[in-house]
Amino acid sequence: VLSVAGAVASTTALGAAIALVATVAVYVAGGIGIREWARQLWRVKWIIVLLAAMQAIFLGWEAAVTGTVRIVAIVLLAAAVSLTTPVADMLDALERCLTPLRIARVDPARVAFTIALTIAIIPVISQLGAQIREAQRARGVRLGVRWIVTMLVGALRHADDVGDALTARGVA
């Protein structure tokens, strides 16, 4: 909790650095370890580069570094939560938090189910991306930006399959 508060509240480079160091402490205290922290950091390397570059263009380097480190700290903390908490427990907590929305006729169970589907599709899309890269290597071809079209078509096919499965079970 303190790490999140520090990451969000810090507006200085020192504060952002402290928040990032606090994420290491969270990983160690949570039994996840520094190796997993580094692996999570490596997974978002391109997002970090893109984010830092965009912020540097519009805000300058100091603000870019501070902002990027803050966002990375928050992403690492979110990863720590997902690594230590079962998805079912997170969705139950979310459903309880959304209960007041029943007044506005929002079904908390339906919202939690939608989020569960979103979480479940992340590894599927990741696997699809790996398959596309593997196919590119096997053919000795680089699609460049066109891989997005291939990824989009695969993702839409999967979404159709999931929709058909939900309809067949009477959920949708």
Side-chain angles (χ1 to χ4, degrees), residues 11-26:
T11 56
T12 65
L14 178 62
I18 291 170
L20 191 60
V21 170
T23 64
V24 174
V26 167

Side-chain angles (χ1 to χ4, degrees), residues 44-127:
V44 294
K45 65 184 173 288
W46 295 116
I47 294 171
I48 294 169
V49 169
L50 184 64
L51 185 62
M54 286 296 152
Q55 288 190 33
I57 291 169
F58 295 108
L59 303 174
W61 279 106
E62 185 178 339
V65 169
T66 302
T68 301
V69 169
R70 288 174 58 200
I71 292 170
V72 168
I74 292 169
V75 168
L76 289 171
L77 290 169
V81 169
S82 68
L83 288 168
T84 58
T85 310
V87 173
D89 291 349
M90 284 192 280
L91 294 175
D92 288 343
L94 177 66
E95 192 172 337
R96 283 192 302 274
C97 289
L98 294 174
T99 301
L101 293 178
R102 286 189 191 275
I103 296 169
R105 295 193 171 172
V106 174
D107 183 8
R110 200 170 200 82
V111 173
F113 180 69
T114 303
I115 291 172
L117 283 175
T118 303
I119 291 169
I121 201 166
I122 292 170
V124 172
I125 298 299
S126 177
Q127 182 181 15

